[in-house]
C-alpha cells in the first residue's frame, strides 16, 4: 500500500523568509511524488513532481522540492516566501510497482501555509 | 481550453434526495477521477475511469455511482443523499497509462446535505 504523511497542519512564515512544507511517504517500490497547491475556493493546481534522477526538483512559482530516499521524504521549499504563497499544500504519491488501477494517487491531509508581512 | 469544468458549483440537498454532478474535460484525457475533500482528511478517491465506458471503485465508493458514456464526461451520482456526504467534490483527469502524469483538477462542487 502507498501512503503519505504531512506532519504539520499549518506552517507560518514571515514574508521574505525561506519556507519548508514537510512530506514523508511509504511505498513498496519506488515513488512518483507530487506537490499540489489549493487556493481558497479553487481546485488543486500542480506544482511539481519527482519521477527519477536529480533529487532537487524545480517547479512553478519558484517552488522546489528535495527527494530524500533514505528518509523517504519529499519536502517542499522556497527560498523567499510571498504573502501570495498562502494556500493549502498537498503532497501525493504513487508507487511505481502498482499496475493498472488508473494511476491512482494517494494524497496527504494537507498543510496550510500562512505567510505574513 | 477550458480544462476541467464541474457543474454545479454549489448545491444544497435534503436527506434522501438524489443528484448528479457533471465533470467535463476538453484535453482528450483517458483517465478521470472523482474525489471528495473533507477537513483534515485530504482528498479521498471515490470512483475513477480509465476510459470511455469503464468505471472502477476508489477508496470511498459507498453511496455513489458513476458513468462515463462519453470520453469527455464523467458523472457522479448520489441516489439517496445523506448528511455524511456533505463535502467538496473534485473531478480530475490525466493522460493515459503514464503513471507519473499529473492530474488536472476542476474547481469543485460544494455539496451540503441537510
Amino acid at each position: 500500500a502507498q501512503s503519505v504523511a504531512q506532519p504539520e497542519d499549518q506552517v507560518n512564515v514571515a514574508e521574505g523568509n525561506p519556507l519548508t512544507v514537510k512530506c514523508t511517504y511509504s511505498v513498496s517500490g519506488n515513488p512518483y511524488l507530487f506537490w499540489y497547491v489549493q487556493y481558497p475556493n479553487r481546485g488543486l493546481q500542480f506544482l511539481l513532481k519527482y519521477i527519477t534522477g536529480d533529487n532537487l526538483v524545480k517547479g512553478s512559482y519558484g517552488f522546489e522540492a528535495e527527494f530524500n530516499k533514505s528518509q523517504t521524504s519529499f519536502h517542499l521549499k522556497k527560498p523567499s516566501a510571498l504573502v501570495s504563497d498562502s494556500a493549502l499544500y498537498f503532497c501525493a504519491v504513487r508507487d511505481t510497482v502498482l499496475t493498472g488501477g488508473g494511476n491512482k494517487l494517494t494524497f496527504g491531509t494537507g498543510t496550510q501555509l500562512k505567510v505574513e508581512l | 481550453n477550458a480544462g476541467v469544468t464541474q457543474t454545479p458549483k454549489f448545491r444544497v440537498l435534503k436527506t434522501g434526495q438524489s443528484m448528479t454532478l457533471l465533470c467535463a474535460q476538453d484535453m482528450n484525457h483517458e483517465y478521470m477521477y472523482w474525489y471528495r475533500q473533507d477537513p483534515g482528511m485530504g482528498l479521498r478517491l471515490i470512483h475513477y475511469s480509465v476510459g470511455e465506458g469503464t468505471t472502477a471503485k476508489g477508496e470511498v465508493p459507498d453511496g455513489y455511482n458513476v458513468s462515463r458514456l462519453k470520453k469527455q464526461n464523467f458523472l457522479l451520482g448520489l441516489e439517496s443523499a445523506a448528511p455524511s456526504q456533505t463535502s467538496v467534490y473534485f473531478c480530475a483527469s490525466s493522460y493515459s497509462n503514464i503513471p507519473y502524469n499529473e492530474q488536472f483538477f476542476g474547481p469543485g462542487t460544494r455539496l451540503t446535505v441537510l
Side-chain angles (χ1 to χ4, degrees):
Chain A
Q2 56 191 32
S3 66
V4 61
Q6 294 181 242
E8 301 157 317
D9 291 336
Q10 182 161 320
V11 170
N12 297 320
V13 177
E15 188 175 54
N17 283 0
L19 69 86
T20 299
V21 182
K22 296 180 180 177
C23 171
T24 59
Y25 67 89
S26 175
V27 295
S28 300
N30 292 314
Y32 297 125
L33 292 156
F34 304 79
W35 276 103
Y36 287 82
V37 59
Q38 183 182 29
Y39 297 101
N41 301 313
R42 303 286 294 275
L44 277 70
Q45 297 177 30
F46 169 75
L47 272 180
L48 51 81
K49 64 184 175 185
Y50 171 81
I51 303 172
T52 187
D54 194 347
N55 289 341
L56 186 63
V57 178
K58 294 188 183 297
S60 306
Y61 312 121
F63 284 93
E64 57 190 27
E66 186 169 10
F67 172 66
N68 187 317
K69 187 171 184 178
S70 63
Q71 296 187 4
T72 62
S73 67
F74 189 55
H75 301 332
L76 182 70
K77 300 181 180 184
K78 188 175 183 181
S80 179
L82 298 172
V83 172
S84 57
D85 292 330
S86 298
L88 185 59
Y89 290 81
F90 289 97
C91 182
V93 67
R94 187 179 190 278
D95 194 334
T96 60
V97 300
L98 291 179
T99 57
N103 299 334
K104 287 181 289 183
L105 291 177
T106 297
F107 286 85
T109 53
T111 298
Q112 185 69 47
L113 174 66
K114 189 172 183 181
V115 183
E116 298 171 310
L117 291 170
Chain B
N1 286 350
V4 180
T5 58
Q6 292 181 233
T7 52
K9 287 185 171 52
F10 303 94
R11 186 73 185 268
V12 178
L13 290 179
K14 295 181 179 179
T15 297
Q17 288 185 318
S18 63
M19 76 164 295
T20 300
L21 282 67
L22 172 63
C23 175
Q25 52 93 5
D26 61 1
M27 297 174 283
N28 202 34
H29 286 172
E30 288 290 337
Y31 289 8
M32 297 186 73
Y33 314 81
W34 275 108
Y35 294 90
R36 60 177 289 171
Q37 183 182 27
D38 302 292
M41 303 190 73
L43 274 75
R44 292 181 292 168
L45 183 64
I46 304 171
H47 286 281
Y48 65 97
S49 167
V50 300
E52 182 178 318
T54 74
T55 63
K57 293 180 180 180
E59 184 184 353
V60 288
D62 294 342
Y64 305 94
N65 57 75
V66 287
S67 64
R68 183 100 181 268
L69 299 180
K70 293 183 179 181
K71 184 177 182 178
Q72 64 267 34
N73 295 338
F74 195 29
L75 278 63
L76 178 71
L78 286 73
E79 290 186 346
S80 180
S84 61
Q85 294 177 304
T86 293
S87 187
V88 181
Y89 292 86
F90 288 101
C91 177
S93 68
S94 67
Y95 286 113
S96 64
N97 75 359
I98 298 177
Y100 49 79
N101 275 333
E102 59 268 28
Q103 295 180 12
F104 293 79
F105 284 79
T109 295
R110 187 173 295 274
L111 175 65
T112 301
V113 183
L114 302 175

